Each structure stands twice: as C-alpha cells, then as structure tokens.
Amino acid sequence: MLLQGQGQTMNANTSQKLEALASDGVPVNVYIWDMDETLILLRSLLNGTYAESFNGSKDVKRGVEIGEKWEKHILKICDDCFFYEQVEDCNEPFIDSLKEYDDGKDLSRYDFKQDEFASPTDDLNKRKLAYRHRAVAERYEKGLARIVDSGTMSVLDELYEVTDGYTDRWLSSARAFLEQCSNVKEASVDGTDRSSQDIHILVTSGALIPSLVKCLLFRLDTFLRHENVYSSIDVGKLQCFKWIKERYNHPKFRFCAIGDGWEECAAAQTMQWPFVKIDLQPDSSYRFPGVTPKTVSYYFAAVYGNSDADTNKE
C-alpha cells in the first residue's frame, strides 16, 4: 500500500454540490456498509455457517457449492478485466488514492500488458498503477454488461437468482434497501441523490479490486460508485471512517455504520456514530429480509435526534 495517511480530496464542483445538498436544511444520511454477511452473503456460504444457522433445514453442501461458483467468477473477472494478476500485491484503500500520479494520458490504446509494470516503489510505476486504477474505475462505471459477454451475463444472472432463492431473498432485500434510499434516475455526484439525499459507502475488509468486482456481480454498482468503495485491509476501518468523515464534514451530514463484525462496531463507537449489527440467525430481524430504512432511522434518531426525513421513512 502506497497511501501515506492522506484522505480523499473533493474538487470544487463536488464540494459545491455537497454544500447544496446540506444547505436545504434536510439532513443527509450517509450509510457506511460492510460487504460480506451484510449486503451480500459469500463467506458464510463457503464455510457453511449460513446454512448451519438453520439447524438442518438448509443444505450446507448446496450453500458451499453456490459460494464456490461465486468465488470462481469473481476471481476470473478480476484477472481478465481488472488487472488483478498484476496488482494483487498493490492493494490501495480506495481507487483514487494515486490520482496525483495520473497525468491524464489517453489510455484508449495503452498496452497494459507491455508497459513493464513492476512494484510501485517509484513514481513511474506509481503512475502505471494509477493508470490501471483509472481504467478499473471507467470499466466499473460502464457496468458488467459492457465487460463480459452475453453468455457469461446469463450464467451470472442465473447464479444470482439461485443464490437469492437459497438465502430467502437476502441479496434482493439488501438491494431493495439501497434502492429505497436512492432515486437512481437522479443519481448525482458521490453516489448522492437529490431527492433522498442518502449516500451509500462501502468499507470492506477485502481487497479493493475483488470488492469492486463483487459490487458488479451482486448488482450493487448502481448504488455504490467506484469512489465510494474502500478497502480497510491495510489501514483498518477506523481510518476509512475518518476519511469518510473528512469528505462529508458538515453538520447536516449524519453517519450510520451497518455490518456484522466487531471492527466496524468499534470504529463506529469511536466516531460516535450509530451502528446496526447484522445477524445471520434466521429468527433475527437484523438481517435481510428484515432491516429496512425505517429500522435504521431509529438509530439515526437516537444519536442525532428526530427529523422529518426519519418520520417519512417507510
């Protein structure tokens, strides 16, 4: 990791738009999500803990098989489309972390296989890594259908539906939460929406490139822009949370972390943010389906007080 403690910076245009969001008097809710066993299920499928929590009513082997299929597709797309074989040992906490080294070169004919990219210990290779990050961001924003062929898309669509059925609609319910807080037709800079004013940010303990690919495969990219995906594997979740606070440092911005792990819980506590703990147990209401914007509005209210936005949550 090359980053030396600096957070993301916003250009003047972005800053003005965020200021405009905050200036109308309506609080802006910033949801900071964990990924695995929160927005998606993967690790618990692979190790069987998801199925085992149902005490025999779920086929553990079937869950493992589904998880292994996802793992295979994630790794293949990482390597084939997102330079992962080249950058696996060069993880960064967010995609723009090396932007200062990117000179804006036209990459339309750039040969990433022949540029002799090596470990980014010097400015030249940092620039080459920055080029790859820019290409990753551009491909991510184009969407999965522009990256893989129609046959692969069909396979992935079927796998998504099979997984959603096996997990009692966990995937589609989590996505529905994001959709309820986002008017995708009017999505604006930094993943914000002019109507709902909600912002969704992902802070995951996984590596950055596979996490972006997961967002694509699990249909989350509509709501999570590339610049709103953080990898905490090298810097820790608390540092990521601090960077997020710096990006949206305004009294009208309210933060809530949602996840299943101790690290995001501890980080949220340090930041004095509400934290919603996701629970895999079938009888819990803090899982998907179960958690709704209305549920989380109570956590916002407990820390920040009630608002009209909270009252109107369904």
Side-chain angles (χ1 to χ4, degrees):
M1 185 192 68
L2 306 175
L3 196 69
Q4 308 237 335
Q6 71 267 35
Q8 286 168 292
T9 58
M10 295 184 292
N11 60 38
N13 187 45
T14 301
S15 180
Q16 289 172 1
K17 290 184 178 181
L18 292 176
E19 183 65 32
L21 279 173
S23 66
D24 63 5
V26 178
V28 180
N29 292 333
V30 182
Y31 299 89
I32 297 99
W33 296 90
D34 183 33
M35 177 171 272
D36 286 341
E37 283 56 61
T38 301
L39 284 175
I40 71 170
L41 294 176
L42 183 56
R43 183 175 61 246
S44 62
L45 295 180
L46 288 165
N47 63 25
T49 55
Y50 173 78
E52 289 168 358
S53 69
F54 285 82
N55 297 317
S57 63
K58 291 278 186 186
D59 185 341
V60 176
K61 183 179 178 182
R62 177 63 172 151
V64 173
E65 290 172 350
I66 290 172
E68 288 175 344
K69 288 180 180 179
W70 278 116
E71 196 172 47
K72 176 183 175 182
H73 287 296
I74 290 165
L75 291 174
K76 179 172 175 53
I77 292 175
C78 280
D79 290 341
D80 292 352
C81 308
F82 290 94
F83 314 108
Y84 194 52
E85 284 185 315
Q86 296 180 340
V87 306
E88 183 175 2
D89 296 327
C90 311
N91 189 64
E92 290 292 315
F94 51 88
I95 203 70
D96 292 331
S97 62
L98 298 175
K99 196 170 185 177
E100 64 181 292
Y101 295 98
D102 189 341
D103 57 10
K105 179 184 178 70
D106 181 2
L107 302 179
S108 59
R109 296 185 179 181
Y110 188 84
D111 191 343
F112 289 100
K113 295 181 179 179
Q114 300 295 327
D115 71 347
E116 299 181 349
F117 171 68
S119 179
T121 56
D122 57 78
D123 286 359
L124 177 60
N125 280 294
K126 289 175 184 177
R127 181 174 298 112
K128 293 174 182 178
L129 181 55
Y131 288 165
R132 283 160 172 78
H133 282 186
R134 173 151 56 97
V136 165
E138 290 172 354
R139 293 176 188 182
Y140 180 90
E141 293 302 329
K142 288 179 180 178
L144 189 61
R146 298 281 296 275
I147 298 171
V148 301
D149 58 46
S150 58
T152 302
M153 278 297 300
S154 296
V155 170
L156 292 171
D157 286 343
E158 181 180 358
L159 182 57
Y160 184 96
E161 297 303 328
V162 167
T163 309
D164 203 38
Y166 178 81
T167 61
D168 303 321
R169 298 186 302 108
W170 187 294
L171 303 184
S172 58
S173 296
R175 193 176 187 278
F177 184 114
L178 301 180
E179 190 169 17
Q180 288 174 52
C181 300
S182 305
N183 182 347
V184 297
K185 291 182 180 180
E186 306 218 359
S188 59
V189 69
D190 278 336
T192 62
D193 164 64
R194 298 181 189 279
S195 299
S196 71
Q197 301 202 12
D198 289 340
I199 300 170
H200 296 290
I201 298 179
L202 183 71
V203 179
T204 173
S205 57
L208 182 62
I209 299 303
S211 297
L212 288 164
V213 172
K214 285 181 185 180
C215 287
L216 287 168
L217 269 60
F218 286 93
R219 305 178 182 178
L220 302 175
D221 56 303
T222 302
F223 312 103
L224 292 163
R225 291 178 61 88
H226 67 269
E227 64 266 32
N228 286 350
V229 176
Y230 290 78
S231 168
S232 67
I233 190 170
D234 296 307
V235 299
K237 294 205 171 185
L238 179 57
Q239 177 61 75
C240 293
F241 285 15
K242 289 179 178 179
W243 284 332
I244 293 164
K245 175 63 175 176
E246 290 173 9
R247 286 178 68 189
Y248 304 103
N249 190 18
H250 190 284
K252 286 296 182 181
F253 285 81
R254 314 187 309 174
F255 305 85
C256 182
I258 307 172
D260 72 312
W262 66 268
E263 188 182 4
E264 54 262 32
C265 178
Q269 186 174 32
T270 299
M271 299 296 291
Q272 298 184 323
W273 294 348
F275 175 71
V276 180
K277 181 171 175 55
I278 299 298
D279 185 359
L280 282 178
Q281 294 303 311
D283 58 351
S284 173
S285 58
Y286 288 89
R287 66 196 303 276
F288 291 109
V291 175
T292 66
K294 182 67 173 178
T295 309
V296 180
S297 73
Y298 295 128
Y299 287 79
F300 275 116
V303 173
Y304 299 102
N306 285 305
S307 73
D308 291 340
D310 296 326
T311 304
N312 293 333
K313 292 288 186 185
E314 294 184 0

